[in-house]
Amino acid sequence: MLNQIDLSKKTPKGTYAKQFDKKSAELGYLGRALRDAKVPVIILFEGFRGTYRGKLINKVISALDPRGFRVYSASKTTERQKMSPFFTQFWKELPPMGGISIHHRAWYFLRNEHDVGDPDEAAEWYNVPFHEINDFERTLYLGGYRIIKLFTHISQKQQEKNIAKDKDSLGSRWEALTPAGIEGVDYKAYRNVYEKMLTETNTVYAPWHVIPMEDVRTGILETMDVLISEFKAALSAAETQKESSQAPLSYASDPSIPSILARYDCNKDMDEKTYDEKLKKYQKRLAELQVELAKRKISTVVAFEGWDAGGKGGAIRRLTSALDPLGYKVNPVSAPNDIEKAYHYLWRFWTKIPEPGEIAVFDRTWYGRVLVERVEHFTPVKDWKRGYEEINEMEEEWAKQGFIVQKFWMHIDPDEQFRRFKAREEDPDKTWKITAEDWRNRDKWDAYVDAVNEMLYRTDTPYAPWTVVEGNNKYYARLKVMSTMIDRMEKALAAVDDKAGSKAKKG
Amino acid sequence: MLNQIDLSKKTPKGTYAKQFDKKSAELGYLGRALRDAKVPVIILFEGFRGTYRGKLINKVISALDPRGFRVYSASKTTERQKMSPFFTQFWKELPPMGGISIHHRAWYFLRNEHDVGDPDEAAEWYNVPFHEINDFERTLYLGGYRIIKLFTHISQKQQEKNIAKDKDSLGSRWEALTPAGIEGVDYKAYRNVYEKMLTETNTVYAPWHVIPMEDVRTGILETMDVLISEFKAALSAAETQKESSQAPLSYASDPSIPSILARYDCNKDMDEKTYDEKLKKYQKRLAELQVELAKRKISTVVAFEGWDAGGKGGAIRRLTSALDPLGYKVNPVSAPNDIEKAYHYLWRFWTKIPEPGEIAVFDRTWYGRVLVERVEHFTPVKDWKRGYEEINEMEEEWAKQGFIVQKFWMHIDPDEQFRRFKAREEDPDKTWKITAEDWRNRDKWDAYVDAVNEMLYRTDTPYAPWTVVEGNNKYYARLKVMSTMIDRMEKALAAVDDKAGSKAKKG
């Protein structure tokens, strides 16, 4: 790819000044139009060292409204960030609708440094496969984000010249702000790594634009051309999408999806005495496991979905009441608020994943995408249909970082739900728990059964399994949740300790 | 204070169980009522080590909806957090309206550790005066937060017993989650420190409740009694406030406030040639200063207020265009969004203060409290009146951490504003900048003059000065902003380097 780039073009100063002003005005106008159209844009700058990327970025952003963008650099990644799943920091840096994020080196930089640099402690963390990067970018693109990837190219000779000049004129002054020093300068080694990167991640959703920076003025103008063209395309795509989202959408239920829920008998026995005994035992064990997991920095995600009045709240309360509250958080999930609506639908979950060694419980989850949003037609079919794949990818990223990811479907039958609704209405302490909305949802029971079956079918994975909890008997349900968690946690501990043990033996 | 506490009371097991259930139900009910009334509550637990604070907190929260609260611990304060102003982390941990935050040791713990412990590197950071803590709590209380401060008390003999028992039963297992180990056990030294703390911070806005934990069951029940009583008081205060905020409010303008704006002649000369020369020079110098400040981790806050079309945007653009975008952020401030409205009005600014060594520019600011909110009657007089004091305290906290805090009022006269509005309407590239709202605001010019004069009078402080920028000539205005910043930055650098120099000489 790089071989095809013409580095010989030069732009005289006079031509440059005139064109720069013209393109600046256009870019400024398009930037405002994108903000009004609420299109979020992600601009990445990667490339060889010594290509004046800093200057290039400064020139480009001078055309944009300074209130509309944020600039980030992956070279500022902290040790703390390396303890979270790779993409966590980038999810947190996503622009809201109508915003622009500019990345002076992003996820590619980290990956490339791994390929070129000496393997060290953090090596595994950096070594994210290209197909996962492609997945990440595709998820964003299909979620409405425009991703513009720019690669600054240069010859070895010019690179050497620039770096020498840079050293004289700026010395070590800039290190505090532009930590370029940590990037290598072995031109040939980097060229090989970059070729591979450009080839493997040049996708239809987020293609690369190689910018010749041999002549800085030429590079700046070409970058502006790319941005103008991409901004225009993003605007016209936003227009088209507005129209197409008004088109009627239908969904044929898939007969190949098994009736998973029907396999479960909601009625399981459990008397109070056995419950009390086991509850105590399980809570003690969970408290111990919380400490052991915290020591080893193993994080846990516990996701609860289920029928209204299915017993989520009670199960969460029993699960957490023995835990140290400094080590867990319960995240209630309801309809997204104004801020959350301004981001990708998965953003609000990525920003709530557990800290290293902690437990995050979700009372309702990201599965709302394929449950309520599907059943209530809040989201077009083509969008929630993608949810299964996007959610699996997200959970896999967490599991790769060593997270325990466990999902529960709290299952009761319609008769039991009716009894509970009635009981709640009659109990003054519980009547707040029941709303007209809950009664309305009962009418959609069958539509939900279809949605739940498809969800269980498509997202029950080895790294993030579903457990259906038979819930007509609350005692039974709560204990099943707790014993499932104990089992998952014990296995995770054993796996980590085994690994540490075999390492110690080798060492 | 502690001498007055009776530690002898004991509660038998049977009585405890019955009372606990009754109080739990009441606390659960009141917790939901507070959520519905949108009252935010902050509960602090401080006290002697060995008082089973962890168990106490667990028992209390078992009565609350786990989705309604968050638990924090100041013993988890990181090195990174110690590089920001002391109260930053606590502002970030504020609950939203209707939420509860529970602090297993909070700001007092940090301060107390300073008083008891060996002075070290971080000593100065911890050494926050009690009157600043009182200011912080008063600001929150008057902003609608209920602060419930609980101190767990115990005798030296019982403390020794508990710690010995704790050691046997839990060993080192709990360290990962409850870093109690860093808290000292010198009973007498702590008792002196605690007495002083309780005396100096026992304010009407946030009084202390001493809980006797000699007998754990007694302590748990008494804590629940305190919470029930405080929750009830918070609910009834919320009711009263609702009524009183409907009462008519008037504001008599204060004749003692000087007519500060009238002292400035908006017309200052500056030709384009001089401007171009100086602009280049200033931008180069600002770029250098940004690097020097970043190296020394000195943060900068630049706040812009001014008349509509007063030139804020242009000044910000010239100021930032020479800076490295990795080291600054521009924060546009408009009417608060849904999330921001759910917090104290200063929360959205505390969460946007600059990282160590970086620059945060605010395009409109926290002064909206005493400008637009005053003039448009968005906020009751008694509330915005407090703003001067609250804002001064906030800026002083920043300055104490070494921040440069500089505020600009971009000043033009009504005729110049009229010319600019007209010009914007006629320029297709700028017409987006002008709205009907802008024209309406012109009618309130005199009301704004009063508000600006009072703001300049009350909030021009040595640690966060105002600079009024004569703005009819844009060239002059931009250069004045830049030269003011250069001056502030150079002085801050000199002060820090002087201090380092005299330290080095001594050492």
Side-chain angles (χ1 to χ4, degrees):
Chain A
M1 197 163 172
L2 292 177
N3 288 329
Q4 306 305 321
I5 305 299
D6 177 13
L7 290 173
S8 68
K9 200 182 161 195
K10 284 202 187 319
T11 308
K13 213 168 174 173
T15 319
Y16 167 77
K18 238 173 72 185
Q19 292 214 15
F20 179 81
D21 286 347
K22 201 176 139 263
K23 291 182 205 298
S24 271
E26 191 168 7
L27 207 50
Y29 166 78
L30 289 167
R32 290 193 298 276
L34 280 172
R35 184 172 56 198
D36 294 342
K38 299 201 183 297
V39 179
V41 178
I42 298 165
I43 307 175
L44 310 187
F45 289 87
E46 300 277 357
F48 283 103
R49 195 177 158 191
T51 47
Y52 293 113
R53 240 191 330 260
K55 189 178 176 182
L56 174 64
I57 294 175
N58 263 351
K59 280 287 167 192
V60 167
I61 62 178
S62 73
L64 300 171
D65 184 337
R67 297 171 302 184
F69 61 82
R70 282 272 187 270
V71 182
Y72 301 97
S73 175
S75 61
K76 284 185 161 184
T77 302
T78 63
E79 289 306 311
R80 172 62 198 74
Q81 284 170 323
K82 291 180 193 163
M83 294 171 75
S84 288
F86 184 85
F87 291 103
T88 311
Q89 64 172 309
F90 303 114
W91 274 96
K92 289 186 179 170
E93 291 169 0
L94 277 195
M97 289 193 311
I100 298 175
S101 71
I102 294 166
H103 298 264
H104 184 176
R105 288 185 282 250
W107 37 96
Y108 291 102
F109 166 70
L110 295 176
R111 161 67 204 243
N112 290 334
E113 287 306 302
H114 170 267
D115 285 359
V116 179
D118 290 330
D120 67 350
E121 285 283 318
E124 269 317 299
W125 187 84
Y126 281 121
N127 193 15
V128 53
F130 285 127
H131 69 84
E132 289 182 18
I133 289 180
N134 290 342
D135 289 343
F136 173 61
E137 292 177 355
R138 192 200 61 237
T139 293
L140 294 180
Y141 177 85
L142 295 174
Y145 288 77
R146 190 87 190 179
I147 303 167
I148 308 173
K149 302 193 296 196
L150 298 144
F151 182 89
T152 54
H153 187 31
I154 200 167
S155 70
Q156 185 168 3
K157 210 170 130 194
Q158 188 65 40
Q159 185 191 43
E160 282 162 10
K161 259 195 222 166
N162 289 356
I163 289 174
K165 198 179 151 200
D166 199 41
K167 225 173 194 164
D168 294 344
S169 68
L170 290 167
S172 67
R173 278 209 301 110
W174 285 96
E175 268 170 32
L177 284 164
T178 53
I182 60 168
E183 195 180 24
V185 282
D186 182 340
Y187 185 88
K188 284 198 180 103
Y190 273 92
R191 181 157 179 144
N192 287 334
V193 164
Y194 289 148
E195 270 292 356
K196 195 169 166 233
M197 167 190 88
L198 292 167
T199 311
E200 298 215 20
T201 60
N202 202 20
T203 62
V204 62
Y205 301 116
W208 279 103
H209 308 275
V210 178
I211 304 295
M213 288 299 289
E214 198 82 356
D215 174 58
V216 177
R217 289 193 287 263
T218 304
I220 291 172
L221 294 181
E222 193 160 327
T223 300
M224 294 175 97
D225 283 340
V226 168
L227 292 179
I228 287 168
S229 147
E230 285 280 331
F231 280 20
K232 279 183 180 166
L235 274 171
S236 98
E239 277 306 310
T240 319
Q241 214 177 6
K242 214 187 270 168
E243 284 157 27
S244 78
S245 72
Q246 289 158 358
L249 287 153
S250 71
Y251 170 63
S253 76
D254 179 349
S256 73
I257 294 166
S259 300
I260 301 175
L261 282 184
R263 293 176 198 154
Y264 291 87
D265 176 3
C266 294
N267 289 299
K268 294 275 186 181
D269 278 344
M270 174 69 62
D271 61 280
E272 194 173 345
K273 195 172 156 261
T274 317
Y275 171 70
D276 284 342
E277 278 169 24
K278 290 205 171 172
L279 180 69
K280 242 184 207 162
K281 206 181 109 200
Y282 287 175
Q283 287 190 329
K284 184 164 171 282
R285 184 64 187 137
L286 280 165
E288 290 165 357
L289 287 165
Q290 181 189 20
V291 174
E292 297 305 317
L293 292 168
K295 276 183 179 172
R296 291 167 185 76
K297 303 274 181 218
I298 302 171
S299 304
T300 305
V301 171
V302 196
F304 283 89
E305 289 286 354
W307 297 109
D308 290 333
K312 288 192 302 295
I316 291 172
R317 198 179 285 247
R318 272 30 165 231
L319 181 67
T320 55
S321 66
L323 301 177
D324 188 313
L326 286 176
Y328 76 83
K329 289 213 168 79
V330 178
N331 300 292
V333 174
S334 47
N337 61 35
D338 281 4
I339 303 294
E340 291 163 351
K341 272 186 214 153
Y343 288 87
H344 191 278
Y345 78 98
L346 292 175
W347 175 83
R348 61 173 171 150
F349 305 108
W350 270 99
T351 55
K352 289 194 189 77
I353 63 173
E355 300 288 308
E358 298 194 346
I359 299 169
V361 178
F362 289 87
D363 185 351
R364 300 209 183 274
T365 69
W366 41 98
Y367 285 97
R369 186 72 166 183
V370 293
L371 295 174
V372 60
E373 292 185 36
R374 164 183 173 167
V375 173
E376 301 284 352
H377 306 293
F378 291 156
T379 301
V381 173
K382 69 174 173 44
D383 291 331
W384 65 253
K385 270 277 181 187
R386 273 196 333 268
Y388 303 113
E389 198 179 336
E390 290 167 347
I391 286 171
N392 283 342
E393 284 164 10
M394 175 174 79
E395 292 173 350
E396 189 172 10
E397 287 297 323
W398 298 346
K400 273 185 58 182
Q401 186 66 20
F403 283 25
I404 300 168
V405 184
Q406 174 64 46
K407 304 175 298 202
F408 293 103
W409 176 260
M410 304 303 285
H411 193 38
I412 52 173
D413 58 40
D415 293 346
E416 176 65 20
Q417 191 188 47
F418 184 80
R419 273 191 295 276
R420 291 187 185 180
F421 279 15
K422 277 287 167 200
R424 284 181 178 186
E425 282 190 335
E426 283 154 22
D427 181 346
D429 277 354
K430 286 188 175 167
T431 181
W432 59 277
K433 280 186 166 183
I434 184 114
T435 64
E437 178 76 16
D438 292 324
W439 286 107
R440 271 196 302 276
N441 283 339
R442 270 179 69 79
D443 296 338
K444 293 166 189 149
W445 189 279
D446 292 343
Y448 271 105
V449 166
D450 284 349
V452 173
N453 280 332
E454 185 159 358
M455 171 186 82
L456 295 172
Y457 174 63
R458 296 198 192 281
T459 63
D460 182 41
T461 59
Y463 45 82
W466 277 104
T467 297
V468 175
V469 179
E470 302 88 339
N472 280 8
N473 180 315
K474 285 186 179 181
Y475 294 153
Y476 177 87
R478 290 169 189 167
L479 292 183
K480 181 161 177 179
V481 166
M482 294 170 88
S483 65
T484 305
M485 285 317 303
I486 288 170
D487 187 52
R488 289 293 315 270
M489 287 172 163
E490 284 179 344
K491 283 194 177 130
L493 277 173
V496 165
D497 292 350
D498 270 7
K499 209 171 152 190
S502 65
K503 243 191 205 161
K505 255 184 206 164
K506 273 188 205 162
Chain B
M1 198 165 173
L2 292 177
N3 288 329
Q4 306 306 321
I5 304 300
D6 177 13
L7 290 173
S8 68
K9 200 182 160 193
K10 284 201 189 320
T11 307
K13 212 168 177 176
T15 318
Y16 168 77
K18 240 172 71 185
Q19 291 213 15
F20 179 82
D21 285 348
K22 201 175 139 263
K23 291 181 205 297
S24 270
E26 191 168 5
L27 207 51
Y29 166 78
L30 289 167
R32 290 193 298 277
L34 280 171
R35 185 172 54 197
D36 294 343
K38 299 203 183 296
V39 178
V41 178
I42 298 165
I43 306 174
L44 310 187
F45 289 86
E46 299 278 357
F48 283 102
R49 196 178 156 191
T51 45
Y52 293 114
R53 241 191 329 261
K55 189 178 176 181
L56 175 64
I57 293 175
N58 263 351
K59 280 288 168 192
V60 168
I61 63 178
S62 74
L64 301 170
D65 185 335
R67 297 171 302 184
F69 62 83
R70 282 273 187 270
V71 182
Y72 301 97
S73 175
S75 62
K76 284 185 160 183
T77 302
T78 63
E79 288 308 310
R80 172 63 198 75
Q81 284 170 322
K82 290 180 194 164
M83 295 171 74
S84 289
F86 184 85
F87 290 104
T88 311
Q89 64 172 310
F90 303 114
W91 275 96
K92 289 186 179 169
E93 291 169 1
L94 277 195
M97 289 194 311
I100 299 175
S101 71
I102 294 166
H103 298 265
H104 184 175
R105 287 186 283 250
W107 36 96
Y108 292 102
F109 167 70
L110 296 176
R111 162 65 204 244
N112 291 334
E113 287 306 302
H114 170 268
D115 285 358
V116 180
D118 292 331
D120 68 349
E121 285 284 318
E124 270 317 299
W125 187 84
Y126 281 122
N127 193 15
V128 52
F130 285 127
H131 69 84
E132 289 183 19
I133 289 180
N134 290 342
D135 289 344
F136 173 61
E137 292 177 356
R138 191 200 62 236
T139 293
L140 294 180
Y141 177 85
L142 295 174
Y145 287 77
R146 190 87 191 179
I147 303 167
I148 308 172
K149 303 194 296 198
L150 299 145
F151 182 88
T152 54
H153 187 31
I154 200 167
S155 70
Q156 184 168 3
K157 211 171 128 193
Q158 187 65 38
Q159 185 191 44
E160 281 163 10
K161 258 196 225 167
N162 289 358
I163 290 173
K165 198 180 152 200
D166 199 42
K167 225 174 193 164
D168 295 344
S169 68
L170 290 167
S172 67
R173 278 208 301 111
W174 284 97
E175 271 170 30
L177 284 164
T178 53
I182 61 171
E183 194 180 25
V185 282
D186 183 340
Y187 186 88
K188 286 200 179 102
Y190 273 92
R191 182 155 178 145
N192 287 334
V193 165
Y194 289 148
E195 270 291 358
K196 194 168 168 237
M197 166 190 90
L198 291 168
T199 310
E200 298 214 20
T201 61
N202 202 21
T203 62
V204 61
Y205 301 117
W208 280 103
H209 307 274
V210 178
I211 304 294
M213 288 300 288
E214 196 84 355
D215 175 58
V216 177
R217 288 194 288 264
T218 304
I220 292 172
L221 294 181
E222 193 159 325
T223 300
M224 294 175 97
D225 282 340
V226 168
L227 293 179
I228 286 169
S229 147
E230 285 280 332
F231 280 20
K232 278 183 182 167
L235 274 171
S236 97
E239 278 305 311
T240 319
Q241 215 177 7
K242 214 186 272 166
E243 285 157 27
S244 78
S245 72
Q246 289 157 357
L249 285 154
S250 72
Y251 170 63
S253 77
D254 179 348
S256 73
I257 295 166
S259 299
I260 301 175
L261 282 184
R263 295 175 196 155
Y264 292 87
D265 175 3
C266 294
N267 289 299
K268 295 274 183 180
D269 277 343
M270 175 70 61
D271 62 278
E272 193 172 348
K273 196 173 155 261
T274 317
Y275 171 69
D276 283 343
E277 278 169 22
K278 289 206 172 173
L279 180 69
K280 242 184 209 161
K281 205 182 108 199
Y282 287 174
Q283 288 189 329
K284 184 165 170 283
R285 183 65 187 137
L286 280 165
E288 290 165 357
L289 286 166
Q290 181 189 21
V291 174
E292 296 306 317
L293 292 168
K295 275 185 179 171
R296 292 166 185 76
K297 303 278 181 215
I298 301 171
S299 304
T300 305
V301 170
V302 196
F304 284 89
E305 289 286 354
W307 297 108
D308 290 333
K312 287 191 302 293
I316 291 172
R317 200 177 284 245
R318 270 39 165 224
L319 181 67
T320 56
S321 66
L323 302 178
D324 188 314
L326 285 177
Y328 76 82
K329 289 212 168 78
V330 178
N331 301 291
V333 174
S334 48
N337 62 35
D338 281 3
I339 301 294
E340 291 162 351
K341 273 187 214 151
Y343 288 87
H344 191 279
Y345 78 96
L346 292 175
W347 175 84
R348 61 173 171 150
F349 305 107
W350 270 100
T351 55
K352 289 193 189 75
I353 64 172
E355 299 288 308
E358 297 194 347
I359 299 167
V361 178
F362 289 87
D363 186 349
R364 300 210 183 274
T365 69
W366 41 97
Y367 284 97
R369 185 74 167 182
V370 295
L371 295 173
V372 61
E373 292 185 36
R374 164 182 174 167
V375 172
E376 300 284 351
H377 306 293
F378 291 157
T379 302
V381 173
K382 69 176 173 47
D383 291 331
W384 66 252
K385 269 277 180 188
R386 271 196 334 267
Y388 303 114
E389 197 179 338
E390 290 166 347
I391 287 171
N392 282 344
E393 284 163 9
M394 175 174 78
E395 291 174 349
E396 190 172 11
E397 287 297 321
W398 298 347
K400 272 184 60 181
Q401 186 67 21
F403 283 26
I404 299 167
V405 184
Q406 175 63 45
K407 304 175 299 202
F408 293 102
W409 176 260
M410 303 303 285
H411 192 39
I412 52 176
D413 58 40
D415 293 345
E416 176 65 19
Q417 191 188 46
F418 183 80
R419 275 192 293 276
R420 291 188 185 180
F421 278 13
K422 278 286 167 202
R424 284 182 179 187
E425 282 189 335
E426 283 154 22
D427 181 346
D429 277 353
K430 286 188 176 168
T431 183
W432 59 276
K433 280 185 166 184
I434 185 117
T435 64
E437 178 76 17
D438 293 325
W439 285 108
R440 271 196 302 276
N441 283 339
R442 269 179 70 79
D443 297 338
K444 294 166 189 151
W445 189 278
D446 292 342
Y448 271 105
V449 166
D450 285 348
V452 173
N453 279 333
E454 184 161 0
M455 171 186 82
L456 294 173
Y457 174 62
R458 297 197 192 282
T459 62
D460 182 42
T461 57
Y463 44 82
W466 277 104
T467 298
V468 175
V469 179
E470 302 88 338
N472 281 9
N473 181 314
K474 285 187 180 180
Y475 295 152
Y476 177 86
R478 289 169 191 168
L479 292 184
K480 180 161 178 180
V481 166
M482 295 170 88
S483 65
T484 305
M485 285 316 304
I486 288 171
D487 187 52
R488 288 293 314 272
M489 288 171 163
E490 284 179 344
K491 283 193 178 129
L493 277 173
V496 165
D497 291 349
D498 271 6
K499 209 172 153 191
S502 64
K503 243 191 205 162
K505 256 184 205 163
K506 273 187 205 162

